[in-house]
Amino acid sequence: MKSLFKIFLLPILCLALLCGCSAEPETFSKDGVSITLTSQFEELEQEGCVAVYGSRSEAVMIQKEDFSALAEIGINADSTPLDYANAVIKANDLSESTAEERDGIVCFTYTAKSGLKTYSYLATAHKSDDAFWLIQFSTSDKKFEEKEPTFLSYAKSIVLS
């Protein structure tokens, strides 16, 4: 879990090269998770993630942790998404973050620097039958306040199987 927030994920925002065409809703599915974003996103590869999607200014990173992998920190099938989010915050020393439920989504925010750029994240915690999922939405810190409601709407579209 300590590697969930490695800075190596930040450059994904810079790698996504798409045209500025109009954005239509598009559902992406992979390995037991689907999410509705827009047609401006494309799938990218990132080690340690189930899936990563990027547009010119946003990134979505999807990670899955089986209950068995979390047992040593006291997270199991009886734990809640809020328990998991708090464990992620603690494991990654995000002391300025607070997990909360917003519009039915357990989430927290944080910022991280990569070189001279600062990125802001909305991290959401979800639970399936066999695992917890951490789904993070990111953009530059300057655009985060504007994008956060969109990120929450993306999070509401998540379906786990």
Side-chain angles (χ1 to χ4, degrees), residues 45-159:
E45 294 295 323
Q46 180 64 53
E47 187 176 329
C49 292
V50 171
V52 176
Y53 305 103
S55 72
R56 287 193 302 176
S57 63
E58 303 166 21
V60 180
M61 295 154 286
I62 300 174
Q63 296 166 295
K64 178 182 180 181
E65 290 191 277
D66 295 330
F67 296 143
S68 60
L70 298 167
E72 67 185 53
I73 61 167
I75 300 295
N76 57 46
D78 295 327
S79 301
T80 67
L82 186 60
D83 296 331
Y84 174 67
N86 283 319
V88 170
I89 289 168
K90 183 178 179 183
N92 290 281
D93 195 27
L94 299 172
S95 58
E96 305 220 355
S97 297
T98 302
E100 63 182 336
E101 186 173 324
R102 292 175 39 196
D103 292 335
I105 303 293
V106 173
C107 61
F108 60 93
T109 60
Y110 70 99
T111 59
K113 284 193 168 215
S114 178
L116 298 175
K117 294 185 179 186
T118 302
Y119 295 92
S120 292
Y121 294 80
L122 174 69
T124 64
H126 309 266
K127 183 178 179 180
S128 63
D129 290 340
D130 63 342
F132 280 102
W133 298 74
L134 185 70
I135 302 177
Q136 301 177 78
F137 304 88
S138 179
T139 192
S140 72
D141 64 327
K142 294 174 184 164
K143 293 183 179 184
F144 186 76
E145 189 174 326
E146 170 193 338
K147 297 285 187 177
E148 191 173 16
T150 301
F151 291 162
L152 277 171
S153 71
Y154 292 160
K156 289 179 186 178
S157 76
I158 294 167
V159 176

Side-chain angles (χ1 to χ4, degrees), residues 4-68:
L4 293 179
F5 295 101
K6 295 255 187 216
I7 299 302
F8 69 88
L9 293 175
L10 295 173
I12 292 170
L13 291 173
C14 299
L15 296 176
L17 300 173
L18 295 174
C19 69
C21 307
S22 65
E24 297 295 325
E26 184 172 336
T27 300
F28 295 86
S29 297
K30 186 170 184 184
D31 296 339
V33 61
S34 68
I35 185 170
T36 301
L37 303 168
T38 71
S39 57
Q40 291 184 338
F41 282 83
E42 67 178 30
E43 185 171 358
L44 305 168
E45 294 295 323
Q46 180 64 53
E47 187 176 329
C49 292
V50 171
V52 176
Y53 305 103
S55 72
R56 287 193 302 176
S57 63
E58 303 166 21
V60 180
M61 295 154 286
I62 300 174
Q63 296 166 295
K64 178 182 180 181
E65 290 191 277
D66 295 330
F67 296 143
S68 60

